[in-house]
Amino acid sequence: MRPENYEAQRQPPSNEFELNFGPNHPGIEGNYALKLKLHGDQVVEAKADGGYLHRGFEKLMEQRLWIQNIALVPRICVPDPSPMELCYSMAVEQLCGLEVPERAQWIRVMQLELSRIAAHLFTFGGHAATTGMYSTMYWGVADRDLLLDLFEEFTGGRVYSIYNIPGGVRRELPDGFLQRVSETLDYLESRLPDYDNLFFKNQVFVRRAKGVGVMSQEQALAWGVTGPNLRATGLAFDVRRDDPYLVYDQLEFEIPTEESGDAWARTLVRRLELVQSIRILRQVVEALPDIRGPIRAPIPNPLAWNVPAGEVYTRVESSKGETCYFVVSNGGPKPYRVHVRGPSSMHAVQVLEKMSVGSRIEDIAQTMFSLDACPPEVDR
Amino acid sequence: MSSIKQIPVIEEKRTNPLARVFDELVRFCRSRSLFLLHYCTGCGAIELPPAMTSRFDMERLGIQPMVSPRQADILLITGYVSIKTLKRVILTYEQMGSPKYVIGICSCTVNGGMYWQSYATAKKLDEYMPVDLYIAGCMPRPEAVIEGLQQLMQRIKTGEAKGWEDYYRNYDYYLGNQQKLFGNDWQTPTDVITEAKHYDLLGEGTLGEHTALLEQHQQPLEALEMRLGHQVKEPAE
Ligand code: SF4
């Protein structure tokens, strides 16, 4: 900490200087940092500096019962927690060979898509804020709150729902809930043209985001990029369609893609996905009243639940990309090992480091928000 | 370490009635214009955008986010602090200008919350810095955050929110806990002891065995002298 110890003092004079970008910086998403080497305002080298949010999830999960972990997993990805719950529950179900009732599967699809819309609204609101358009952020956050109200109504929690358990879901939907979902969807649909006029067609956004943080399809595949970021490079890959889980194979939806692979394309793909999510939700709202039956398969006493030995790998398409769990059980009351493969660890570390090189310093925030990286999930 | 430490409220009313009126006016003004440091330490931060934007709108209370610690009044700790973050939080806290207030949002700042077993998080925030107000919950709703901020405003107005004075008066206690976590050679660029002298807050607990350890390797920085506007030490010549 003493000035004479600073590394910079011992180095020969040069035009390059080092800048700590974050963790306490409004242009960074969450608690995350980058160490930049700059030449003027051009980035020469970027180094990701994570770990500010490390809690040791994978170790904590080994110390808790199978059922207790349900409360822990949504905290891994804060803006989009539902896929985490679902992916873990699916892993336990596969280990035990539990059959999930059909009604529960449809309810789960509804939860996932509501969560996806909420996360996308939040993300492009954040992206708008980095280009100085705060009204889009205000609108996005306010509209997201309507979805959080729905979550609160049917799960009890605004952000962390803790609604899935292995075998099904916890509660039946409240009376008249589907009606309120479709009202909210109507409202959101009526808002989309406003968003287009305010943000997506706005020259400030188009000019600033086009050509920033470009990656080609080969690079994206080599770096392990998934989700909307991959689809923005032109590859229509979506786990919901290519490796269907729940009842996604009975639903109709398209997979929007863009070709250019820059920040503009990535945010546009999210905007197009909103329409598809609304379309899926409409089908769910229509189908759910006719699907009757239990919402939960019978499970043994959760406090003394020895899950059969084995290992499984499950994957789910979250709003950020592919979320996967690798769970190993040795037949005990607690998991033997849980590994979380989140999409953001690739996006925020290796992709961001490579993309920042050569860009201007003011575009770093845009690149990060357009990648939709989620620091708590990087650090876990 | 003993459990939650009571912050002693030291009554100090000036005798001159005019001065007392002036003090009250200053406190009133302070409570009506608060800048919130924009630093999201944990998952509770996700409820801040709703609280700050259109729906709950904390700007109507005169509270606004601020990006630099030097100009901020409130440090919001929004959730668990990992040890790596805690170092930055302490650096940030010491850089903020007095009077400064700390709010601990989320159960994780109170006692470790969900992560009580975790090897990577610091459990009780008030062992490392004085906390003026806790908002418990996992996570607290935006209404609760706003309610908490209103209470803080009330406490500033009545002069009860004096955590920052406690940091100077009991610096040894806080530094000791910090050293326990970060190692004995932990030091920050801010010279807290000199600042305590400057504010006339040198209490019984300011100096002690831990600060003695600090003196072995700390040198006051020039920047601090410039900020305080007077020479802290005789120039070494
Ligand atoms: S109390 Fe809950 S919401 Fe808050 S930081 Fe802890 S786990 Fe996250």
Side-chain angles (χ1 to χ4, degrees):
Chain A
M1 278 304 168
R2 272 178 280 168
E4 63 266 28
N5 292 346
Y6 285 151
E7 192 69 17
Q9 286 210 341
R10 284 191 249 115
Q11 304 224 331
S14 100
N15 282 337
E16 288 174 4
F17 67 97
E18 213 178 87
L19 183 77
N20 281 335
F21 194 70
N24 181 353
H25 190 284
I28 264 262
E29 195 178 0
N31 198 349
Y32 194 71
L34 284 175
K35 285 205 174 92
L36 304 176
K37 209 181 256 176
L38 297 165
H39 186 276
D41 64 354
Q42 200 107 29
V43 180
V44 181
E45 193 190 319
K47 201 112 196 67
D49 177 21
Y52 294 102
L53 294 169
H54 180 66
R55 292 147 280 177
F57 268 111
E58 295 175 0
K59 195 74 202 161
L60 285 177
M61 280 158 86
E62 290 165 18
Q63 298 165 8
R64 301 191 187 190
L65 301 178
W66 289 96
I67 202 86
Q68 282 179 313
N69 281 334
I70 296 284
L72 205 56
V73 282
R75 275 137 183 110
I76 296 178
C77 183
V78 191
D80 188 13
S82 299
M84 289 284 169
E85 281 173 26
L86 178 80
C87 204
Y88 174 77
S89 304
M90 273 173 33
V92 180
E93 280 153 15
Q94 285 182 19
L95 279 172
C96 303
L98 280 174
E99 192 67 41
V100 183
E102 206 189 348
R103 188 173 167 82
Q105 299 199 14
W106 283 84
I107 295 178
R108 280 177 170 185
V109 169
M110 184 175 76
Q111 188 201 0
L112 283 184
E113 294 303 321
L114 285 174
S115 171
R116 187 186 317 274
I117 296 180
H120 279 346
L121 284 172
F122 205 54
T123 307
F124 68 66
H127 188 175
T130 60
T131 51
M133 285 180 273
Y134 280 93
S135 24
T136 317
M137 186 192 79
Y138 275 50
W139 285 13
V141 173
D143 285 347
R144 170 178 171 267
D145 242 61
L146 298 176
L147 296 164
L148 296 190
D149 282 350
L150 291 180
F151 268 109
E152 189 174 10
E153 190 178 341
F154 84 105
T155 68
R158 261 168 71 86
V159 178
Y160 297 141
S161 30
I162 316 180
Y163 185 60
N164 288 291
I165 56 167
V169 295
R170 280 153 77 97
R171 286 186 218 117
E172 195 38 272
L173 297 177
D175 286 344
F177 179 70
L178 294 176
Q179 176 62 28
R180 283 188 286 283
V181 172
S182 71
E183 276 164 19
T184 310
L185 293 181
D186 288 343
Y187 173 75
L188 279 180
E189 239 167 12
S190 73
R191 291 281 282 176
L192 289 179
D194 294 345
Y195 278 113
D196 288 348
N197 288 333
L198 182 72
F199 182 54
F200 291 98
K201 289 184 196 158
N202 193 330
Q203 282 304 306
V204 176
F205 166 65
V206 176
R207 287 192 192 180
R208 279 209 55 190
K210 272 209 171 163
V212 167
V214 187
M215 64 176 153
S216 68
Q217 196 171 320
E218 292 76 47
Q219 281 174 329
L221 288 172
W223 292 339
V225 175
T226 49
N229 300 341
L230 179 62
R231 294 195 279 278
T233 63
L235 186 72
F237 177 80
D238 192 319
V239 184
R240 289 178 292 173
R241 193 195 60 185
D242 297 320
D243 182 13
Y245 49 97
L246 301 179
V247 288
Y248 275 112
D249 45 359
Q250 301 172 33
L251 294 164
E252 268 178 42
F253 60 98
E254 281 158 25
I255 296 168
T257 54
E258 279 293 326
E259 296 297 326
S260 54
D262 51 9
W264 177 79
R266 287 192 286 271
T267 302
L268 202 66
V269 165
R270 293 203 178 88
R271 156 72 181 78
L272 298 174
E273 274 188 12
L274 281 188
V275 181
Q276 300 303 324
S277 290
I278 292 177
R279 193 167 148 202
I280 294 176
L281 279 169
R282 291 229 186 267
Q283 295 170 41
V284 174
V285 168
E286 204 169 294
L288 251 179
D290 299 331
I291 300 165
R292 300 192 184 282
I295 51 161
R296 194 165 54 215
I299 54 170
N301 176 7
L303 299 182
W305 188 3
N306 292 333
V307 169
E311 39 181 83
V312 286
Y313 187 76
T314 49
R315 56 180 185 168
V316 164
E317 180 81 24
S318 81
S319 68
K320 326 262 170 210
E322 206 176 307
T323 301
C324 311
Y325 271 65
F326 178 60
V327 181
V328 183
S329 167
N330 58 357
K334 295 168 185 173
Y336 177 72
R337 175 83 171 91
V338 182
H339 174 72
V340 187
R341 185 265 183 217
S344 299
S345 12
M346 285 82 198
H347 297 163
V349 183
Q350 46 196 4
V351 178
L352 189 61
E353 272 181 6
K354 295 212 172 74
M355 269 188 182
S356 312
V357 174
S359 75
R360 305 263 298 277
I361 184 170
E362 66 266 25
D363 286 334
I364 300 249
Q366 259 203 71
T367 313
M368 182 156 189
F369 273 88
S370 72
L371 282 170
D372 197 6
C374 164
E377 187 219 275
V378 180
D379 300 338
R380 291 197 282 274
Chain B
M1 194 42 64
S2 63
S3 58
I4 294 186
K5 206 170 128 286
Q6 286 290 318
I7 298 179
V9 180
I10 296 170
E11 266 309 315
E12 38 170 87
K13 281 211 169 132
R14 290 203 255 172
T15 39
N16 183 345
L18 250 175
R20 270 156 69 172
V21 170
F22 180 72
D23 280 355
E24 235 158 69
L25 182 70
V26 165
R27 284 204 300 258
F28 174 80
C29 297
R30 254 178 208 157
S31 73
R32 291 305 161 114
S33 135
L34 292 170
F35 285 93
L36 200 88
L37 183 68
H38 188 115
Y39 186 23
C40 323
T41 55
C43 36
I46 198 89
E47 287 289 34
L48 284 186
M52 281 191 282
T53 58
S54 323
R55 187 162 184 206
F56 297 99
D57 197 8
M58 61 169 78
E59 220 170 300
R60 68 202 147 102
L61 304 175
I63 300 176
Q64 250 204 342
M66 165 55 69
V67 291
S68 98
R70 301 256 189 234
Q71 288 142 307
D73 304 304
I74 304 180
L75 179 58
L76 272 187
I77 309 289
T78 51
Y80 59 89
V81 273
S82 65
I83 291 166
K84 189 172 178 183
T85 306
L86 186 61
K87 282 186 189 171
R88 273 76 179 171
V89 167
I90 290 167
L91 291 187
T92 312
Y93 177 72
E94 290 185 354
Q95 281 177 37
M96 288 167 63
S98 300
K100 50 195 169 187
Y101 313 99
V102 181
I103 300 187
I105 294 190
C106 276
S107 315
C108 283
T109 54
V110 183
N111 57 7
M114 296 276 315
Y115 310 119
W116 58 275
Q117 299 158 302
S118 169
Y119 56 81
T121 59
K123 306 297 177 306
K124 291 179 189 153
L125 185 63
D126 57 8
E127 288 182 355
Y128 308 101
M129 57 172 61
V131 180
D132 289 293
L133 194 88
Y134 279 120
I135 305 173
C138 178
M139 52 196 49
R141 303 170 53 89
E143 291 98 319
V145 174
I146 296 215
E147 166 87 31
L149 285 168
Q150 272 175 325
Q151 273 200 26
L152 181 75
M153 284 165 68
Q154 198 57 38
R155 288 171 66 89
I156 293 172
K157 219 165 91 182
T158 55
E160 285 168 276
K162 284 211 173 128
W164 63 278
E165 292 187 8
D166 183 62
Y167 193 68
Y168 292 122
R169 289 213 171 94
N170 295 310
Y171 182 53
D172 193 50
Y173 167 81
Y174 293 111
L175 186 70
N177 287 333
Q178 292 165 14
Q179 281 174 351
K180 229 184 256 169
L181 209 56
F182 310 136
N184 278 346
D185 55 352
W186 161 256
Q187 70 168 89
T188 54
T190 316
D191 191 344
V192 178
I193 299 167
T194 318
E195 276 190 11
K197 279 182 201 146
H198 173 76
Y199 289 118
D200 202 12
L201 289 171
L202 205 66
E204 275 175 18
T206 307
L207 300 171
E209 41 171 335
H210 304 293
T211 48
L213 224 73
L214 195 64
E215 267 158 25
Q216 288 171 11
H217 52 191
Q218 194 184 38
Q219 292 178 356
L221 303 180
E222 280 168 23
L224 179 84
E225 292 174 7
M226 273 157 56
R227 190 151 64 79
L228 294 180
H230 60 80
Q231 204 77 27
V232 179
K233 255 190 187 172
E234 292 295 311
E237 257 184 284

